[in-house]
Amino acid sequence: AKQQGKNQFQLYAPEMNEAALDQLVLTNDLHHALRRHELVLYYQPQVDLQTGQIVGLEALVRWQHPERGLLSPGQFIPLAEETGQIHAISQWVLHTACTHNYAWQQAGLPPVRVAVNLSAQQFQNHDLPRLIQRTLLETGLPPQHLEVEITETIAIANPEKAIAILQQLRQMGVQTALDDFGTGYSSLSILQQFPLHQLKIDRAFIRHLAPGTKEAALVRAIVNLGHGLGLTLVAEGVETVEQQTFLQAIGCNAMQGYLFSQPVSAAAIPDLLQATLAR
Ligand code: C2E
Ligand code: CA
Ligand code: CA
Ligand code: CA
């Protein structure tokens, strides 16, 4: 900690490490980021493995920092969660994603779901369904074209509250997905208790996916389990044709990953949607 008294002038106390100082500066910058329109949404397509059509777009936030360049969510979302700035950021993400998707539909592009990532803090807030309801009304997006992604960590932090919120969202017609499936410790009880439409199989299982591997057995089991529960399955982080072929063979519904497309700016989406329309 900084020393008081005669050392007060010492702004950069040696014991205040560089990383902590850096976080402090970034927190202050983040405070202005929304007002200065420095946050941007990228979108990564989810592609139906049978038809090749884009069925969803996951909204992934980036921060166009004036000095540091394009920052990935890992560089500022955890910080925003600590400081509470995550609420304003999440609301901006939700509103912007709904606005973009509404505009794409109005332009006559094939309708797709837009998926937003929810943060644990948003589940502390009982008003979340109302906030989402209001955003849908303001932007005009039909509820079935919005999907929320939650992680197992969020789900188990306060299961009763999370279930209640997801039930309200489902009643409104909003789709719900469990993100990073298989990386937590309570996956199976979550599937039993939570109102979900979609499971996203974590990249950790897809990365080493090849016929005959343990990952192949696991992914096949997850797909069968999910289908048995009436869920659709999306494989995350698909990078190779081999992975795609295997997923097709076992009946996985959709894929998301660099093989089809990296996350791209909103400006690039109309062409991508148009291209699958022409198929
Ligand atoms: P996620 O929800 O699991 O998102 C998928 C991440 O995997 C994205 O990283 C994406 O760029 C990356 N990815 C997609 N396909 C591939 C692939 O084929 N190979 C590899 N190696 N990576 C792939 P990104 O955009 O850096 O986002 C990281 C995480 O930040 C997200 O993980 C999500 O948890 C969080 N995040 C992103 N946007 C938001 C947001 O608006 N709100 C909140 N609360 N969290 C967000
Ligand atoms: Ca996600
Ligand atoms: Ca994920
Ligand atoms: Ca992840």
Side-chain angles (χ1 to χ4, degrees), residues 199-233:
L199 280 191
K200 300 188 74 177
I201 308 170
D202 195 77
R203 187 165 69 88
F205 298 99
I206 307 301
R207 205 176 337 186
H208 306 293
L209 190 61
T213 58
K214 278 188 185 168
E215 284 76 12
L218 280 168
V219 170
R220 190 194 299 272
I222 292 172
V223 168
N224 290 336
L225 176 68
H227 283 164
L229 295 169
L231 304 167
T232 60
L233 285 113

Side-chain angles (χ1 to χ4, degrees), residues 58 149 179-180 200 202 236:
E58 180 176 6
E149 296 192 1
D179 201 2
D180 302 346
K200 300 188 74 177
D202 195 77
E236 300 194 272

Side-chain angles (χ1 to χ4, degrees), residues 27-107:
T27 303
N28 187 47
D29 290 355
L30 192 52
H31 185 69
H32 302 289
L34 275 170
R35 195 169 44 78
R36 293 178 185 153
H37 307 290
E38 291 171 2
L39 295 185
V40 281
L41 282 189
Y42 274 45
Y43 293 93
Q44 189 176 36
Q46 293 174 3
V47 182
D48 187 298
L49 279 162
Q50 303 304 317
T51 66
Q53 304 281 313
I54 296 177
V55 288
L57 298 168
E58 180 176 6
L60 296 159
V61 69
R62 275 99 181 84
W63 177 8
Q64 186 63 62
H65 191 282
E67 286 113 39
R68 301 178 193 217
L70 199 63
L71 302 183
S72 66
Q75 291 171 279
F76 64 93
I77 289 288
L79 187 69
E81 287 178 332
E82 268 178 49
T83 61
Q85 291 162 310
I86 189 68
H87 290 286
I89 294 175
S90 302
Q91 185 48 33
W92 178 85
V93 167
L94 180 66
H95 200 278
T96 307
C98 290
T99 301
H100 280 154
N101 199 21
Y102 180 74
W104 292 325
Q105 293 190 17
Q106 288 299 105

